[in-house]
Amino acid sequence: MSTPSFAPALFQSFEEKSDPSHVAPRLAALRQAMKQAGVDAFLIPRADAHRGESVPASEARLAYVTGFTGSAGMAMVTADKAHLFIDSRYTLQAPAQTDTNLVEVHEVPSMSFDLKPYVPAGAVLAYDPWLHTPGSVRDMETQLRGHAKIVSHANLVDSVWEDRPAPPVSTIEFLGHNRAGKTAADKIAEIQASLKADGADAAVLTLPESICWLFNMRGRDVPNTPFVLGFATAPAEGSPLLYLDPAKITPELKNALSGIADVAASTDLPGALEALGKDGKSVLVDPHSAPMAVADTLTKAGARLVDKRDPVLLPKSRKNDAELAGMREAHKLDGVALAKFLHWFDSEAPKGQLTEIGIVTALEAFRREEESCIDASFDTISGAGPNGAIVHYRVTTKTDRTLKAGEIMLVDSGAQYLSGTTDITRTLSTGSATAEQKDRYTRVLKGMIAISMARFPRGTSGAQIDVLARQFLWADGVTYNHGTGHGVGAFLGVHEGPIGISSRYPLPLEVGNVISNEPGYYKAGEYGIRIENLIVVQECAGYPGYLDFETITLAPIDTRLIALELLTAAERDWLNAFHARVWTEIGPLVSGDVKAWLEQATKAI
Amino acid sequence: MSTPSFAPALFQSFEEKSDPSHVAPRLAALRQAMKQAGVDAFLIPRADAHRGESVPASEARLAYVTGFTGSAGMAMVTADKAHLFIDSRYTLQAPAQTDTNLVEVHEVPSMSFDLKPYVPAGAVLAYDPWLHTPGSVRDMETQLRGHAKIVSHANLVDSVWEDRPAPPVSTIEFLGHNRAGKTAADKIAEIQASLKADGADAAVLTLPESICWLFNMRGRDVPNTPFVLGFATAPAEGSPLLYLDPAKITPELKNALSGIADVAASTDLPGALEALGKDGKSVLVDPHSAPMAVADTLTKAGARLVDKRDPVLLPKSRKNDAELAGMREAHKLDGVALAKFLHWFDSEAPKGQLTEIGIVTALEAFRREEESCIDASFDTISGAGPNGAIVHYRVTTKTDRTLKAGEIMLVDSGAQYLSGTTDITRTLSTGSATAEQKDRYTRVLKGMIAISMARFPRGTSGAQIDVLARQFLWADGVTYNHGTGHGVGAFLGVHEGPIGISSRYPLPLEVGNVISNEPGYYKAGEYGIRIENLIVVQECAGYPGYLDFETITLAPIDTRLIALELLTAAERDWLNAFHARVWTEIGPLVSGDVKAWLEQATKAI
């Protein structure tokens, strides 16, 4: 086909792994187990105990039972019904992956929807306390009060799961000071100070991003994100304890943590929680991310819970100088790969032979030329023409589409370099574009530039500035139904909280936050547009008390789709300065045709 | 002085009514009463049971004890200390009004600040349950847990108040269908439907704005706002009951409410609440506006509380066609008064003899030429030169300042017409202005125009669009420390919730909302700038699913302070169209010099 010169993709697969014919026997086995347990309804969420976007195969219970492999969702199985709840990203995918004769698919606005209409009156509804948070259990109890009984129960899917994959055991890598910028000991001291301020004697950490950041370590337990799955307890005074699968506790890990933290087996966690309880400790447990089992074990043993956000999330979101240097380095490496890719795309696309899978494979190959690129940070969204309008499109061999000359191509991708994490979207011309497409593209670009140029007083939240990105689309009566930006980790998750740009992010932006800036426009059945750079919150030079953004993404923005007359002089200046910087930074790192292409692509307009 | 031709102001007084020498004996009497009651600390909030911005003299306990007359604040008196908590609006006023040898003044960000540092350990802190809400009591209990005991108690200020004024008894006026647009019966049916949806058997209404709106009546119990003070209970089925001072129950009131609501004495309210409790009813009580006494009486008698927003507030905020027609009419009348005033100001100001009080008096006189103008909607903020930088400045004979030629004058005022409520700010040139002043004025104007021209999808909140008004100031590293807009009532409160434009207003804007649009800029010690129009949320013609604003204020904006080069063509077009409309609507209603002045003032730039 179109991309014979590239080796097959390693980071991303394109097969449809679900087989709806498995649904019937698995549902039957689960219902048998439910009957024996005296349970009328059982919940099967997508999440594992660590609530990451990716879960290891050993935790993919929702996919095992229903066939649905999306990154969010929940099933509820009763004696005679099976409901699968998904969000609007998966409206097409979910019915294609499950057996719709046996499973009713419901689109819900979020996973905190009202369960009551689906739960039979008087039913005993069981949930696995490791897979739900105290916050979500509280919500369900409120919804079902006087209607059904909700009980905690050992996981019934696990009891019938045949050939369940083993849990992942990844090598754990330590980050030295050059990359982490701060020793684990210093980070732990900072968290301990915040625990004291919150009146907590200890915290239980259950999010892998928090544990990886706090102990300066990275693993490969899940795809796309260098997570080590495990737990930790951090006392307000004294050494923290890490709870990990013993097989992960390499001599190297033991050594590196010596004097900083003790390491125990995951199976020791419940005993440790009980000990905290028996001592009557006040323990910080994040009600929106920790497993209910953690909160339950603590309170039953006598602990007082401190309901607060995981204390690592905010410090982690404020990247330090070393982390920012790594992120800038990663974006330079990514800029080189993007220049090669965009040059290749421009020469191939007009031939009308490129496929969505071929585009993913080529982009991955260009990224893998850099050996410190160890993974994609998420499955590339490669949307040709109308597929570009599917916001979270993931191409499979079944949906793969050949890009016709003249169509618009949307490519949203990112990589994990040892130095940092990237996330970039470009929307590409393949020849002529309609006046409407250029108008929409330019309004999206004006929104992205408005965020890029924004100056705002300390204390301003992402919720407050979101409208700057939308105003030009709103002026023409259109918008996009996703946030403008999400937090990005430093060689960690490509999506991380608790800051971002949308009405869901009320926390103040702080110096060192790395966020995406990605307005878009989607015309169903026709085309999709999104332009995304990563930006860093910084002190605004010359304006005391004010902050602004540094853009760290270094790849050209397609100027062929711009309706020039819609740009103000200030917007044009921003774009030209951005392109000049791309040329200055990336130009010396490429050569030959790629360099010539880049010079052209970064010319002032 | 400067304004010999105007009769004295009736709506506003300029005397300093506080006398710090009263503080000592009153504090002593209160402490004596506290001792007898076994109370270590007593709270004296500004608010009465109805939580309006204005309170009748009979409820001005905070002013009685401390001398402080601001519209928000709270005192706490202990055996040996007296604390007065105020917000930044009153930093200058509070110390001037109270006896600072006896009272410590503390500036706090809001009245939900942490009390704990001020309460002696182990103290018994008493509050009057009619003057605090369940929400605020809950907050104080959380703050003081394990530190002090908080108890409900009869008001100890009342027990020592000498010569306490009698409660107000105003004539109650009924609004006919032409002005209310909807019968009280229809409004009640709407509220009853929402009570059923909320699972409430009844609601207790305690806000005068809700009661006045629901029963289509207006009174004069407090200055500036046509409120009737009273309570109401509204069952989900059957007739509501109004609880009013028997002296207010005129034959006219009885007659007008016949078949719609029954009327009882205020003293009957506790018994009625107990009856609801004994019947085991679910009763909606707004935890953020109802008195704690209402919630307490209900729960003690056996009622279940439904914690929800006062059900009248949202329907009231969506003005109907008759209310909007009234508001437009009021703004026409106000536009005539403003044209006369601005013309007068322009001829007098260059002489350098105008005083702040003279300006208030003149503006009031021009408004009172229209007989349906019954009050100011708030005390005019008349800030000459540096006084313009005091956001909530209220001129007194002590602070009155003569406006020097060349200084900037800020006038923020409003009126209550029988047809509606107005609120307008203009910042006026008196000759030359500095380049900095023009730059700031133009950035404020650009922000006001950005809100005026905004188009946004249904579901967008005031919090989301607030930044549109701030962006041009932020771009130069400055901002204003107040909201961009507040809700305005239809011949009701000039400040009404629950919608507005600032990060404190997360509710979606809805068709019929009337809001102020008033960005500003304040340079302490030098000058203040604010430009304010009222705007109405409407369907956006030609853009299905989108909303925009109709501007209803009709008075010229001073173009002499504009730095023209900072305006875009679209902004200039908006301003010219606005002025053309002012000329078309107000021009025919004025004559002679005023007309000639208006023609000039509304010329296209």
Side-chain angles (χ1 to χ4, degrees):
Chain A
M1 276 291 300
S2 61
T3 56
S5 53
F6 299 106
L10 286 179
F11 297 158
Q12 185 163 344
S13 78
F14 308 103
E15 303 121 73
E16 179 50 81
K17 288 170 228 156
S18 292
D19 180 348
S21 74
H22 290 145
V23 176
R26 290 172 184 178
L27 272 181
L30 175 60
R31 283 179 173 136
Q32 184 62 27
M34 286 164 57
K35 208 171 168 183
Q36 281 169 14
V39 159
D40 303 310
F42 190 70
L43 292 176
I44 313 167
R46 165 39 151 70
D48 66 2
H50 306 287
R51 312 207 73 72
E53 274 180 88
S54 299
V55 296
S58 57
E59 298 288 324
R61 295 177 184 86
L62 183 63
Y64 177 76
V65 175
T66 69
F68 172 63
T69 59
S71 70
M74 182 165 74
M76 185 178 68
V77 177
T78 67
D80 55 0
K81 290 211 169 193
H83 302 280
L84 173 57
F85 304 99
I86 50 123
D87 63 48
S88 60
R89 293 176 288 177
Y90 298 114
T91 313
L92 299 174
Q93 181 182 330
Q97 292 189 313
T98 194
D99 180 340
T100 50
N101 293 315
L102 301 173
V103 178
E104 285 179 30
V105 178
H106 308 275
E107 188 182 313
V108 291
S110 83
M111 287 304 135
S112 53
F113 66 100
D114 185 3
L115 259 183
K116 191 176 168 189
Y118 308 98
V119 179
V124 173
L125 171 67
Y127 68 93
D128 176 349
W130 287 97
L131 307 185
H132 296 261
T133 65
S136 66
V137 172
R138 208 149 49 205
D139 287 351
M140 291 191 290
E141 283 171 347
T142 306
Q143 291 160 7
L144 300 177
R145 190 163 293 150
H147 176 77
K149 197 178 159 190
I150 178 157
V151 298
S152 166
H153 199 286
N155 201 299
L156 294 169
V157 174
D158 297 1
S159 71
V160 300
W161 194 336
E162 286 173 16
D163 301 323
R164 181 175 175 190
V169 186
S170 68
T171 311
I172 297 175
E173 181 206 0
F174 285 90
L175 296 192
H177 196 268
N178 280 351
R179 284 167 62 200
K182 206 180 240 184
T183 63
D186 285 348
K187 291 179 179 179
I188 291 162
E190 187 182 340
I191 298 305
Q192 290 183 323
S194 87
L195 290 182
K196 281 175 203 153
D198 285 341
D201 301 313
V204 183
L205 303 179
T206 67
L207 293 176
E209 59 197 287
S210 296
I211 293 168
C212 286
W213 182 84
L214 186 60
F215 296 99
N216 286 346
M217 62 185 192
R218 300 291 188 271
R220 302 302 314 272
D221 280 348
V222 295
N224 301 134
T225 311
F227 278 172
V228 180
L229 300 183
F231 298 93
T233 52
E237 280 184 53
S239 280
L241 251 158
L242 260 171
Y243 302 87
L244 297 171
D245 175 349
K248 287 179 196 161
I249 305 167
T250 56
E252 190 208 8
L253 169 62
K254 264 217 145 90
N255 185 46
L257 290 175
S258 128
I260 293 170
D262 298 313
V263 184
S266 295
T267 46
D268 292 342
L269 177 66
L273 299 178
E274 278 161 18
L276 284 168
K278 277 179 196 138
D279 295 347
K281 300 289 190 193
S282 292
V283 184
L284 189 156
V285 173
D286 184 336
H288 300 298
S289 67
M292 183 68 185
V294 168
D296 267 351
T297 307
L298 284 165
T299 44
K300 273 177 199 151
R304 188 178 80 84
L305 295 188
V306 178
D307 263 25
K308 293 255 181 186
R309 182 188 296 118
D310 175 334
V312 174
L313 296 182
L314 271 180
K316 173 167 63 60
S317 78
R318 299 186 285 256
K319 272 75 180 169
N320 62 43
D321 288 347
E323 289 170 324
L324 291 178
M327 289 295 271
R328 288 191 197 96
E329 170 67 15
H331 281 81
K332 236 177 183 171
L333 302 175
D334 215 40
V336 171
L338 260 292
K340 293 173 183 169
F341 165 74
L342 294 171
H343 158 257
W344 168 83
F345 179 87
D346 265 10
S347 27
E348 295 295 326
K351 300 177 192 163
Q353 300 276 304
L354 286 183
T355 64
E356 292 168 337
I357 288 180
I359 287 167
V360 177
T361 309
L363 177 52
E364 186 183 307
F366 288 122
R367 281 195 167 117
R368 281 164 52 202
E369 289 181 14
E370 163 57 42
E371 64 173 6
S372 71
C373 177
I374 61 159
D375 204 341
S377 57
F378 57 97
D379 281 346
T380 295
I381 297 168
S382 173
N387 283 348
I390 305 170
V391 175
H392 285 84
Y393 177 62
R394 180 180 160 275
V395 57
T396 68
T397 48
K398 281 190 192 166
T399 65
D400 193 22
R401 203 173 170 286
T402 300
L403 177 66
K404 294 186 198 130
E407 282 182 341
I408 280 183
M409 181 71 207
L410 187 155
V411 185
D412 185 353
S413 71
Q416 295 286 2
Y417 298 89
L418 292 176
S419 46
T421 304
T422 70
D423 185 359
I424 174 172
T425 309
R426 290 294 182 265
T427 302
L428 306 171
S429 163
T430 65
S432 61
T434 66
E436 180 197 89
Q437 288 170 336
K438 287 186 169 184
D439 176 275
R440 294 297 181 247
Y441 182 89
T442 310
R443 287 175 193 271
V444 169
L445 177 62
K446 284 165 75 79
M448 201 218 60
I449 294 174
I451 295 288
S452 308
M453 297 199 301
R455 183 176 289 147
F456 48 91
R458 199 182 287 280
T460 302
S461 70
Q464 283 175 271
I465 64 168
D466 176 72
V467 66
L468 295 177
R470 297 181 195 269
Q471 57 184 324
F472 308 104
L473 291 162
W474 284 4
D476 214 23
V478 293
T479 191
Y480 49 97
N481 294 319
H482 58 74
T484 297
H486 53 80
V488 178
F491 190 41
L492 271 178
V494 74
H495 296 141
E496 69 168 32
I499 54 90
I501 306 176
S502 93
S503 50
R504 292 183 298 118
Y505 294 112
L507 292 178
L509 296 168
E510 292 187 277
V511 170
N513 289 162
V514 179
I515 323 172
S516 71
N517 172 13
E518 49 175 320
Y521 171 75
Y522 310 95
K523 189 164 186 183
E526 300 198 22
Y527 61 92
I529 290 164
R530 187 161 62 250
I531 310 175
E532 176 187 27
N533 281 344
L534 296 197
I535 54 181
V536 181
V537 180
Q538 64 182 0
E539 305 272 357
C540 181
Y543 294 89
Y546 278 69
L547 305 176
D548 63 6
F549 296 115
E550 170 196 357
T551 295
I552 58 173
T553 299
L554 292 170
I557 291 168
D558 198 331
T559 54
R560 296 164 299 187
L561 290 168
I562 296 175
L564 257 183
E565 69 280 8
L566 291 183
L567 289 190
T568 65
E571 289 163 346
R572 202 194 272 225
D573 289 348
W574 182 90
L575 189 64
N576 288 337
F578 171 72
H579 276 143
R581 200 154 64 81
V582 173
W583 173 243
T584 309
E585 301 248 19
I586 305 298
L589 307 175
V590 292
S591 57
D593 288 352
V594 174
K595 189 171 194 138
W597 175 89
L598 186 64
E599 185 169 21
Q600 185 62 36
T602 56
K603 268 219 172 99
I605 57 167
Chain B
M1 274 293 298
S2 62
T3 55
S5 53
F6 300 105
L10 286 179
F11 298 158
Q12 185 163 343
S13 77
F14 308 101
E15 305 121 73
E16 180 51 79
K17 289 170 226 154
S18 292
D19 181 348
S21 73
H22 290 146
V23 175
R26 290 174 186 178
L27 272 181
L30 176 60
R31 284 179 173 135
Q32 184 62 29
M34 285 166 54
K35 208 172 168 183
Q36 280 168 15
V39 158
D40 303 310
F42 190 70
L43 292 176
I44 313 166
R46 164 44 151 68
D48 65 2
H50 306 286
R51 311 207 75 69
E53 274 179 89
S54 298
V55 295
S58 56
E59 299 287 325
R61 295 176 185 86
L62 183 63
Y64 176 76
V65 176
T66 68
F68 171 62
T69 60
S71 69
M74 183 165 75
M76 185 178 69
V77 177
T78 67
D80 55 0
K81 291 212 168 193
H83 301 280
L84 173 58
F85 306 99
I86 50 123
D87 63 48
S88 60
R89 292 176 288 178
Y90 298 113
T91 312
L92 299 175
Q93 182 181 330
Q97 292 190 313
T98 194
D99 180 341
T100 50
N101 293 318
L102 300 173
V103 178
E104 286 178 29
V105 178
H106 308 276
E107 189 183 314
V108 291
S110 82
M111 287 303 136
S112 54
F113 67 99
D114 185 4
L115 259 183
K116 191 176 167 188
Y118 307 99
V119 179
V124 172
L125 170 68
Y127 68 93
D128 176 348
W130 287 97
L131 307 185
H132 296 261
T133 65
S136 66
V137 172
R138 208 149 49 206
D139 287 351
M140 291 191 291
E141 283 172 346
T142 305
Q143 291 160 8
L144 300 176
R145 189 163 294 149
H147 176 77
K149 197 178 159 191
I150 176 156
V151 298
S152 165
H153 199 285
N155 202 299
L156 294 169
V157 175
D158 296 2
S159 71
V160 299
W161 194 336
E162 286 172 17
D163 302 323
R164 182 176 174 190
V169 185
S170 68
T171 311
I172 297 174
E173 181 207 0
F174 285 90
L175 296 193
H177 196 269
N178 279 352
R179 283 167 62 201
K182 208 181 239 182
T183 63
D186 284 349
K187 291 179 178 178
I188 291 162
E190 187 183 339
I191 298 305
Q192 291 183 323
S194 87
L195 290 181
K196 281 176 201 153
D198 285 342
D201 299 315
V204 183
L205 304 179
T206 67
L207 293 176
E209 58 197 286
S210 296
I211 293 168
C212 286
W213 182 85
L214 186 60
F215 297 98
N216 286 344
M217 62 187 196
R218 300 292 188 271
R220 303 302 313 272
D221 280 347
V222 295
N224 301 134
T225 311
F227 279 172
V228 180
L229 300 183
F231 298 94
T233 51
E237 278 183 56
S239 280
L241 251 158
L242 261 171
Y243 302 86
L244 296 171
D245 176 348
K248 288 180 197 162
I249 305 168
T250 56
E252 188 208 10
L253 168 61
K254 263 219 148 91
N255 185 46
L257 289 174
S258 129
I260 293 169
D262 298 315
V263 184
S266 295
T267 46
D268 292 342
L269 178 66
L273 298 177
E274 279 162 16
L276 282 168
K278 278 181 195 136
D279 295 346
K281 298 290 191 194
S282 292
V283 184
L284 190 156
V285 173
D286 185 336
H288 300 298
S289 67
M292 184 68 185
V294 168
D296 267 351
T297 307
L298 282 165
T299 44
K300 272 177 199 150
R304 189 178 78 84
L305 295 188
V306 177
D307 262 26
K308 294 253 180 187
R309 181 189 296 117
D310 176 332
V312 174
L313 295 183
L314 271 181
K316 173 167 63 59
S317 78
R318 297 185 285 256
K319 273 74 179 168
N320 62 42
D321 288 347
E323 289 170 324
L324 291 178
M327 288 295 271
R328 288 190 198 98
E329 171 66 17
H331 281 81
K332 236 177 182 171
L333 301 175
D334 215 40
V336 171
L338 260 292
K340 293 172 184 170
F341 166 73
L342 293 171
H343 158 256
W344 167 84
F345 179 87
D346 265 9
S347 27
E348 296 295 326
K351 301 176 193 163
Q353 300 276 306
L354 287 184
T355 63
E356 292 167 338
I357 289 179
I359 286 167
V360 176
T361 309
L363 177 52
E364 186 184 308
F366 288 121
R367 280 195 167 116
R368 281 166 50 203
E369 289 180 13
E370 163 57 44
E371 66 173 4
S372 71
C373 178
I374 61 160
D375 204 341
S377 57
F378 57 96
D379 281 346
T380 294
I381 297 167
S382 174
N387 283 348
I390 305 170
V391 176
H392 286 83
Y393 177 63
R394 182 181 159 275
V395 57
T396 68
T397 47
K398 283 191 192 163
T399 65
D400 193 21
R401 203 173 169 288
T402 299
L403 177 67
K404 295 185 199 130
E407 282 182 340
I408 281 183
M409 180 72 206
L410 188 155
V411 185
D412 184 353
S413 70
Q416 296 285 3
Y417 298 88
L418 293 175
S419 46
T421 305
T422 70
D423 185 359
I424 174 171
T425 309
R426 290 295 182 262
T427 302
L428 306 171
S429 163
T430 64
S432 60
T434 67
E436 180 197 90
Q437 288 170 336
K438 288 186 168 185
D439 175 275
R440 294 295 181 251
Y441 183 88
T442 311
R443 288 174 192 271
V444 168
L445 177 62
K446 286 166 75 77
M448 201 218 61
I449 295 176
I451 295 287
S452 308
M453 297 200 299
R455 183 176 289 148
F456 48 91
R458 197 182 288 280
T460 302
S461 70
Q464 284 175 270
I465 64 168
D466 175 71
V467 65
L468 295 177
R470 297 182 195 268
Q471 59 184 323
F472 308 104
L473 292 162
W474 284 3
D476 215 24
V478 293
T479 191
Y480 49 96
N481 294 320
H482 57 73
T484 297
H486 55 79
V488 177
F491 189 40
L492 271 177
V494 74
H495 296 142
E496 70 168 30
I499 53 92
I501 305 177
S502 94
S503 51
R504 292 182 299 116
Y505 294 111
L507 292 179
L509 297 168
E510 293 188 275
V511 171
N513 289 162
V514 178
I515 323 171
S516 71
N517 172 13
E518 48 177 318
Y521 171 75
Y522 310 94
K523 189 164 186 182
E526 299 200 21
Y527 61 93
I529 290 164
R530 187 161 64 249
I531 311 176
E532 175 186 28
N533 281 344
L534 296 197
I535 54 181
V536 182
V537 180
Q538 63 181 1
E539 305 271 356
C540 181
Y543 295 88
Y546 278 69
L547 305 176
D548 63 7
F549 296 115
E550 170 196 357
T551 295
I552 58 173
T553 299
L554 293 169
I557 291 169
D558 199 330
T559 54
R560 296 164 298 187
L561 290 167
I562 296 175
L564 256 185
E565 68 282 8
L566 291 183
L567 290 190
T568 65
E571 288 162 348
R572 200 193 271 226
D573 289 348
W574 181 90
L575 189 63
N576 288 337
F578 171 73
H579 276 144
R581 200 154 65 79
V582 173
W583 173 243
T584 309
E585 302 248 19
I586 305 299
L589 307 176
V590 292
S591 57
D593 288 352
V594 174
K595 189 172 194 135
W597 175 88
L598 186 65
E599 184 169 21
Q600 185 62 36
T602 57
K603 266 220 174 101
I605 57 166

